[in-house]
């Protein structure tokens, strides 16, 4: 959620930010109008309460008709306050909804809407095969490590089975990422996969949950989390942290759930875009003065984890019209995937500044002055398992259908250096 005081003081900052995102700045005008109306109502209610308090104190010194008249005035004021308080509550709710409709202003360096994402660097060269390369679905079937048909049979489209070396590869990737992050000072944390609606809204932005993206639990104020960021970012909700504790760096380990209802016909083959997947996530609660340095650090950690896997990739600076509401700036790592004959997003790294922390009320206490300030929150993908498996299968394939295992993963695979074709099993 944006800073209301900043909106009042610098409304043009938000108007310009909305236009940079390619959005109509009308929500800014609506929020300003609702804020003015709420402040007027608040002033009226506070004035009535002050009058009521003054009369209540005076009554003790009055007698007879004067006392009776003051008592009547006090009752009248109480009735007015009772009528106005629900209106004030409605005005506060309306303002809250309007503020949530305004996304985080992009960092000045973010590419403008309509200009596309900017490539920061390209690492590695796509493999040149001396044979027609297979995609991950063909390879996974040939190796009997991936079964999308039976996944669809038991759960619907975009679900899948991993087995044999496929299952081992998932476990290897998770442990590889966790060990890497732990060595970099991130605290391994297994998170809940169910999160309260209000907490999700605080982290995701917007005035209401997107039913096209989120699985809700019927009859409960809960939804399945699309990333451990949702739980990690609300772990310290309504708490005040000591400045000396910052940054708090966490390594989230979780299964993630996404409806992807608005993505029909997009990346539907195989396991690039699925409803359930495992992921290892980086999350940081950071001092506001150092959050841009922290953003660069998270990206560096991502690349130091990714580069040893030998997968060609590029880093892109995401344009303003492609940013999610909470992000002020986001880098993506896009990895070469022969089956797509192009790059596909495998990781993202976002600085959400104070947007999320303000909504869920995570503050810190400075050493050098009284009061509290809002922390900054940042997040970055370490490993999203299915897309990493796609990239490994397709980049490490050989003409005979076998697939090599990236060297850093071999110790986590029990020493296996490759997986070879076999007849697909007729039954599990």
């Amino acid at each position: 959620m944006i800073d209301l005081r900043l909106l009042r003081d610098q409304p043009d900052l938000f108007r310009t930010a909305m236009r940079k995102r390619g959005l109509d700045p009308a929500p800014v005008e609506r929020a300003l109008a609702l804020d003015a109306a709420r402040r007027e109502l608040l002033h009226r209610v506070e004035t009535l309460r002050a009058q009521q308090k003054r009369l209540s104190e005076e009554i003790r010194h009055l007698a007879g008709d004067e006392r009776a008249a003051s008592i009547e005035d006090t009752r009248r004021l109480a009735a007015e306050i009772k009528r106005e308080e629900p209106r004030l509550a409605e005005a506060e709710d309306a303002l809250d909804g309007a503020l949530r409709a305004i996304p985080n202003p992009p960092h000045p360096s973010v590419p403008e809407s309509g200009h596309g994402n900017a490539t920061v660097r390209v690492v590695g060269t796509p493999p040149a095969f001396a044979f027609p390369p297979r995609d991950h679905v063909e390879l996974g079937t040939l190796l009997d490590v991936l079964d999308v048909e039976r996944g669809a049979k038991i759960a619907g489209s975009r679900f899948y089975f991993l087995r044999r070396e496929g299952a081992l590869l998932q476990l290897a990737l998770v442990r590889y990422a966790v060990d890497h992050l732990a060595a970099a000072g991130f605290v391994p944390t297994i998170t809940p996969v169910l999160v309260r609606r209000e907490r999700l809204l605080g982290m995701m932005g917007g005035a209401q949950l997107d039913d096209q993206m989120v699985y809700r639990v019927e009859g409960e104020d809960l939804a399945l989390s699309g990333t451990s960021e949702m739980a990690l970012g609300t772990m310290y909700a309504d708490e005040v942290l000591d400045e000396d504790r910052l940054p708090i760096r966490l390594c989230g380990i979780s299964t993630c759930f996404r409806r992807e209802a608005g993505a029909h016909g997009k990346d539907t083959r195989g396991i690039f875009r699925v409803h359930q997947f495992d992921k290892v996530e980086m999350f940081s609660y950071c001092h506001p003065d150092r959050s841009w340095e922290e953003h660069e650090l998270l990206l560096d950690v991502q690349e130091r984890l990714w580069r040893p896997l030998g997968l060609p990739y590029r880093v892109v600076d995401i344009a303003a019209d492609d940013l999610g509401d909470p992000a002020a700036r986001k880098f993506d790592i896009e990895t070469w995937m022969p089956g797509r004959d192009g790059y596909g997003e495998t990781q993202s790294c976002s600085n959400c500044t104070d947007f999320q922390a303000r909504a869920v009320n995570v503050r810190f206490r400075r050493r050098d002055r009284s009061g509290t300030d809002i922390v900054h929150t940042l997040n970055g993908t370490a490993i999203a398992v299915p897309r990493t498996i796609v990239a490994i299968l397709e980049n490490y394939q050989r003409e005979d259908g076998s697939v090599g295992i990236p060297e850093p993963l071999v110790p986590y695979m029990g020493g296996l250096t490759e997986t070879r074709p076999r007849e697909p099993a007729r039954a599990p």
Side-chain angles (χ1 to χ4, degrees), residues 357-378:
R358 174 172 283 103
V360 300
N361 192 28
V362 184
R363 298 174 175 269
F364 74 100
R365 185 177 291 104
R366 292 183 183 266
R367 292 186 302 272
D368 57 350
R369 63 173 182 259
S370 61
T372 60
D373 288 332
I374 305 291
V375 302
H376 281 198
T377 60
L378 302 93

Side-chain angles (χ1 to χ4, degrees), residues 408-423:
L409 300 180
V410 170
Y412 298 98
M413 295 283 292
L416 287 175
T417 60
E418 65 179 5
T419 175
R420 301 196 63 80
R422 58 172 61 87
E423 284 296 318

Side-chain angles (χ1 to χ4, degrees), residues 177-192 203 227-237 239 241 245-254 279-286 294 297-298 301-302 305 348-349 356 362 375-383:
V178 171
D179 286 356
H180 184 92
L181 294 184
F186 291 76
V187 178
T189 309
I190 295 176
T191 66
M203 294 298 293
T227 167
S228 62
E229 172 196 343
M230 303 295 109
L232 295 174
T234 56
M235 181 188 299
Y236 294 107
E239 295 187 31
L241 307 172
R245 292 188 63 190
L246 302 177
I248 298 173
R249 295 174 180 146
L250 303 171
C251 163
I253 308 157
S254 75
K279 184 160 74 115
V280 180
E281 180 85 359
M282 298 181 290
F283 194 89
S284 177
Y285 291 93
C286 181
E294 189 78 357
L297 181 143
L298 292 189
V301 171
Q302 282 181 321
L305 180 147
S348 64
C349 184
Q356 295 174 323
V362 184
V375 302
H376 281 198
T377 60
L378 302 93
N379 66 83
T381 315
I383 291 284

